[in-house]
Amino acid sequence: AGSCHGNSVERKIYIPLNKTAPCVRLLNATHQIGCQSSISGDTGVIHVVEKEEDLRWVLADGPNPPYMILLDGNLFNRKVLLQLKGTSRVSGLAVAIAKPSPPQGFSPGLKCPNDGFGVYSKDYGPEFAHCNTTVWNPLGSGISYEDFDFPIFLLEDANETQVIKQCYLDHNVPRDGSAPEYPLCAMQLFSHMHAVTSTVTCMRRSSLQSTFSINPEIVCDPLLDYNVWSTLQPINASGKVDPEKEVVMVATRIDSHSFFWNIAPGAESAVSSFVTHLAAAEALHKAPDVHVLPRNVMFTFFQGETFDYIGSSRMVYDMEQDKFPLRLDNIHSFVELNQVALRNSSILWMHTDPVSRMNKSVNTQVQILLDTLKQSSFGSAVTLQEAGFSQPLPPSSFQRFLRARHIPGVVLTDHRTAFQNRYYQSMYDTPENIGMQYPEGLSPEETLEYVTDTAKALAEVATVVARALYGLAGGASSISAIQADPKTVTRMLYGFLIKMNNSWFQSIIKPDLKGILGDVPQHYVAVSSPVNTTYLVQYVLANLTGTVVNLTKEECQNPEKLPHTEKELYEYSWIQGPLDANGTARVPLCVRSGVRLSKALSPAFELRHWGSTEYSTWTESRWKDIRARIFLVASRELEIITLVLGIAILVISLLATYFINAKADVLFSIPRDPGAVAY
């Protein structure tokens, strides 16, 4: 009863903000970035800033610091943040999403993404190192890589933003230039981070705790997940591929990032490319003679690429250490799909590495690769053009493979030089950014099936890629039958960008994974794995490239007990299946595919080289409590008067209790009964 009473009192004082996303602390070998609050949360009087002039009240004129700023999304930029960073008059920041997205663009990432971890360095193409030739992300402000000592939260719900504004209007608006009267509307943000300084420091502390404590308090965790991969022709995942067997590798990233934790829609930076990749895998698997092609094709989806190529560097490391079925020597050629949804005049640019092409044999193989891609685009709506021999590779997973070996490869993008994407690594890299539009009035099921223009355009790219892969694998038949399905593409775009919890995704996953289907998809790599995106890419790939086999649930879950299941070549999954004819119950199925997961944890953590400059060292701080709330705060004078009165009443009560207790025998003595007689 007591706790219920306490909660009801709290509800009368505080209004919790439930739809928020915090900026959290990340660390690498040398730095800490992100935000945090003090251990007990940070509180300040709310001030709404909708234009730059409003900052003057916060930074100079306002008489009631510290202030908690409600910032219009269009003002969330480097210039404003650095002004706020340099003052003690600001205790925190709540950012309202700008709608529509800022027309000038917004990218909190770096101008030169993953700088220092790609192939270019002082020893290899120094003229291309540090984006000397091409600044890939000119709009990058780098604020995601700054360290802020106050909390910054994103307000995801427009209704909650309006509640805060109304509280501000009712209590905090200055009247006739004079300070507003108490009580004032205040906000409190909790986001205290446990890790400090760098990955080296936090991993050492965690390691010491794990060694000497029964209940270790871990302060940070490495960013990690799993890569998803499969091959056109099945291979023994626990064995080694014959050194003579050549494999064409096609790759893409599946993660994204933004300033705020787990807000990573990544429509153009990730989803457009991996959806195209999945569609190409389906189209190629449908070709009749794929199982007799001279070369195999490996479909690879890398996790954690945003953070200095976690997934690709781990796969290269595993190949070098003989911990993967393939070796680097098996790779015949490499095709990577990068950002491909914002094409100008349907042009897709082919980027190659000018340094490795100085080698005559590599250059010959690269030229064959480029010619095959061009031939595959004949008769399609996609025009392939070379970016130019003087142009370096854009940030790409292929760079990690080039660091290890001169592999002929090409990276396909929608940009020749700087990114077309004006919202790279930001919360505004949404379906709208890649032109996804639906007619009004459609039901969720109709929206899932509606083929958008974006889906048609990406299906065209997938068709070209699938045909090129067929040619690179040694296919000699007609390629006209290899065709990506726009319906599949539109379903994937809807599922990965708008609503994960849809009927198609429900039908292709295991029953015990129903919980991963949240509403709004996010593609942050995180520290608990596998994340939703990894699972879904795994099961979508299995659905598009696998086959339904006639096994019972028991047999499907334990295929090693049956003869001829070739467990070393295939994975078996008992999935929920589609709804039956009545639409009431599901018809479960057993799907056999060659889809596998491999670790996407940076080798730096495997080797315990936490200060590595060779491999990614990104970690995420742990925290105890993340929440936000608003309430009315009284003046300092009233708080002091209340405190003094409370202390006075306490002292008077103690004195009264003391004197009453001292005179208890007098005050509470029982009078003698007059009728009692003593003998």
Side-chain angles (χ1 to χ4, degrees):
S3 70
C4 290
H5 178 71
N7 283 340
S8 66
V9 170
E10 183 174 314
R11 281 199 298 272
K12 287 176 181 175
I13 298 172
Y14 300 106
I15 299 175
L17 303 172
N18 299 317
K19 288 283 189 77
T20 61
C23 157
V24 303
R25 175 168 289 165
L26 299 174
L27 309 99
N28 66 10
T30 53
H31 291 79
Q32 64 180 30
I33 63 169
C35 324
Q36 77 153 351
S37 73
S38 61
I39 197 163
S40 55
D42 287 329
T43 305
V45 173
I46 295 169
H47 190 73
V48 175
V49 175
E50 293 180 325
K51 51 188 185 297
E52 279 202 47
E53 299 83 78
D54 296 339
L55 285 171
R56 182 169 175 78
W57 183 264
V58 173
L59 299 174
D61 297 346
N64 308 116
Y67 285 96
M68 194 66 74
I69 297 173
L70 174 57
L71 187 69
D72 183 271
N74 288 297
L75 291 176
F76 185 58
N77 56 48
R78 185 176 184 85
K79 179 186 171 187
V80 169
L81 280 180
L82 292 186
Q83 283 185 70
L84 303 181
K85 190 178 177 180
T87 176
S88 60
R89 291 175 58 88
V90 173
S91 59
L93 197 59
V95 182
I97 290 182
K99 290 189 178 177
S101 301
Q104 71 277 15
F106 173 76
S107 173
L110 299 170
K111 291 184 186 296
C112 192
N114 291 358
D115 186 23
F117 289 86
V119 71
Y120 302 113
S121 66
K122 66 180 192 305
D123 303 317
Y124 186 99
E127 67 274 26
F128 304 126
H130 313 302
C131 296
N132 284 339
T133 307
T134 306
V135 177
W136 295 107
N137 186 30
L139 291 174
S141 64
I143 57 172
S144 283
Y145 295 84
E146 291 284 340
D147 183 38
F148 297 94
D149 58 359
F150 53 81
I152 304 178
F153 277 54
L154 178 69
L155 301 172
E156 299 181 75
D157 187 347
N159 292 329
E160 287 189 343
T161 304
Q162 196 51 48
V163 167
I164 300 168
K165 283 185 178 178
Q166 195 57 53
C167 189
Y168 165 79
L169 292 171
D170 292 345
H171 299 279
N172 295 11
V173 176
R175 308 289 176 194
D176 302 320
S178 59
E181 293 181 4
Y182 284 95
L184 298 174
C185 191
M187 184 186 291
Q188 190 172 29
L189 301 178
F190 296 85
S191 64
H192 181 67
M193 299 287 134
H194 293 176
V196 293
T197 310
S198 68
T199 289
V200 177
T201 303
C202 79
M203 288 300 290
R204 186 174 63 240
R205 287 178 181 173
S206 297
S207 180
L208 285 169
Q209 283 271 348
S210 301
T211 307
F212 297 111
S213 174
I214 298 170
N215 298 309
E217 188 174 323
I218 308 300
V219 294
C220 67
D221 301 283
L223 295 181
L224 75 144
D225 206 81
Y226 288 89
N227 298 322
V228 182
W229 65 275
S230 77
T231 50
L232 192 60
Q233 300 160 1
I235 62 172
N236 185 344
S238 56
K240 289 284 177 287
V241 171
D242 190 312
E244 304 301 312
K245 184 67 177 174
E246 292 184 322
V247 177
V248 178
M249 195 166 182
V250 54
T252 191
R253 67 174 59 191
I254 57 174
D255 68 298
S256 188
H257 179 44
S258 82
F259 186 88
F260 298 99
W261 184 74
N262 207 29
I263 300 293
E268 159 74 339
S269 61
V271 178
S272 69
S273 55
F274 76 68
V275 160
T276 306
H277 186 169
L278 288 163
E282 180 193 34
L284 190 55
H285 267 269
K286 287 179 178 175
D289 59 343
V290 290
H291 293 294
V292 294
L293 292 175
R295 297 187 191 98
N296 206 344
V297 178
M298 179 175 170
F299 305 100
T300 320
F301 300 82
F302 291 121
Q303 258 290 13
E305 294 301 274
T306 305
F307 295 95
D308 300 337
Y309 306 118
I310 294 172
S312 54
S313 63
R314 180 54 187 260
M315 187 171 280
V316 171
Y317 174 80
D318 285 345
M319 286 179 174
E320 289 176 325
Q321 301 296 317
D322 267 353
K323 295 178 180 177
F324 196 78
L326 271 74
R327 299 174 184 85
L328 288 167
D329 292 344
N330 291 116
I331 301 174
H332 167 267
S333 51
F334 198 106
V335 178
E336 180 170 352
L337 283 158
N338 215 307
Q339 304 180 82
V340 292
L342 297 175
R343 304 197 309 282
N344 271 342
S345 309
S346 296
I347 295 173
L348 203 59
W349 294 97
M350 301 183 291
H351 299 262
T352 57
D353 172 41
V355 181
S356 60
R357 286 184 71 180
M358 289 176 187
N359 179 304
K360 194 174 179 182
S361 67
V362 172
N363 186 48
T364 304
Q365 290 173 289
V366 170
Q367 202 54 57
I368 292 168
L369 182 54
L370 296 172
D371 292 342
T372 306
L373 279 160
K374 283 178 186 172
Q375 287 163 15
S376 304
S377 69
F378 291 160
S380 77
V382 180
T383 307
L384 283 162
Q385 288 189 19
E386 291 183 51
F389 201 82
S390 60
Q391 181 85 4
L393 286 169
S396 51
S397 307
F398 178 44
Q399 293 200 30
R400 289 303 303 195
F401 284 80
L402 271 181
R403 277 176 79 132
R405 188 170 175 273
H406 281 181
I407 297 167
V410 63
V411 178
L412 301 176
T413 73
D414 55 21
H415 55 90
R416 181 173 182 269
T417 53
F419 295 161
Q420 297 274 23
N421 186 3
R422 293 176 300 132
Y423 305 108
Y424 183 73
Q425 287 185 9
S426 92
M427 56 202 170
Y428 301 116
D429 192 3
T430 57
E432 293 76 23
N433 185 32
I434 58 170
M436 282 175 64
Q437 293 179 324
Y438 295 93
E440 287 186 18
L442 296 183
S443 67
E445 202 59 34
E446 289 168 337
T447 313
L448 172 68
E449 300 294 342
Y450 180 81
V451 180
T452 60
D453 290 341
T454 305
K456 290 174 188 171
L458 292 179
E460 289 274 5
V461 176
T463 298
V464 170
V465 171
R467 290 175 178 179
L469 292 172
Y470 178 77
L472 291 168
S477 304
S478 169
I479 58 172
S480 58
I482 299 174
Q483 192 78 40
D485 184 1
K487 214 166 186 59
T488 304
V489 176
T490 211
R491 282 176 165 190
M492 289 192 285
L493 288 173
Y494 179 79
F496 284 114
L497 286 174
I498 294 172
K499 191 177 183 185
M500 276 188 169
N501 196 8
N502 62 71
S503 60
W504 186 49
F505 278 5
Q506 287 165 9
S507 71
I508 64 172
I509 61 167
K510 290 181 177 180
D512 57 341
L513 291 178
K514 282 186 291 188
I516 69 168
L517 296 176
D519 264 348
V520 182
Q522 303 297 348
H523 307 293
Y524 172 61
V525 56
V527 295
S528 55
S529 58
V531 294
N532 305 9
T533 308
T534 305
Y535 272 131
L536 287 167
V537 168
Q538 179 189 4
Y539 284 100
V540 168
L541 184 59
N543 177 267
L544 298 180
T545 62
T547 52
V548 175
V549 288
N550 188 20
L551 296 178
T552 64
K553 182 179 180 180
E554 178 67 28
E555 291 169 341
C556 190
Q557 292 175 339
N558 302 282
E560 64 279 354
K561 294 180 180 178
L562 295 171
H564 315 304
T565 53
E566 300 178 295
K567 181 73 176 76
E568 66 282 356
L569 297 181
Y570 298 105
E571 288 284 320
Y572 290 80
S573 303
W574 185 255
I575 63 168
Q576 291 196 118
L579 291 168
D580 61 16
N582 298 327
T584 52
R586 293 196 172 275
V587 184
L589 306 165
C590 184
V591 173
R592 184 187 75 182
S593 75
V595 182
R596 316 273 181 177
L597 298 180
S598 69
K599 240 184 210 177
L601 168 66
S602 170
F605 298 101
E606 201 90 342
L607 301 166
R608 295 173 71 88
H609 292 172
W610 302 321
S612 173
T613 54
E614 167 76 8
Y615 298 113
S616 171
T617 54
W618 286 105
T619 52
E620 180 184 275
S621 174
R622 288 198 179 184
W623 58 80
K624 188 175 182 180
D625 192 19
I626 286 185
R627 58 198 167 98
R629 59 190 186 182
I630 62 171
F631 55 96
L632 294 181
V633 63
S635 69
R636 181 68 62 188
E637 292 78 9
L638 183 58
E639 287 177 341
I640 291 168
I641 290 168
T642 307
L643 177 64
V644 169
L645 279 173
I647 292 169
I649 291 168
L650 175 64
V651 170
I652 291 166
S653 303
L654 290 171
L655 289 171
T657 305
Y658 172 78
F659 284 117
I660 290 169
N661 190 49
K663 303 291 182 183
D665 54 334
V666 176
L667 294 170
F668 304 112
S669 61
I670 301 168
R672 204 175 269 188
D673 186 350
V677 179
Y679 293 96

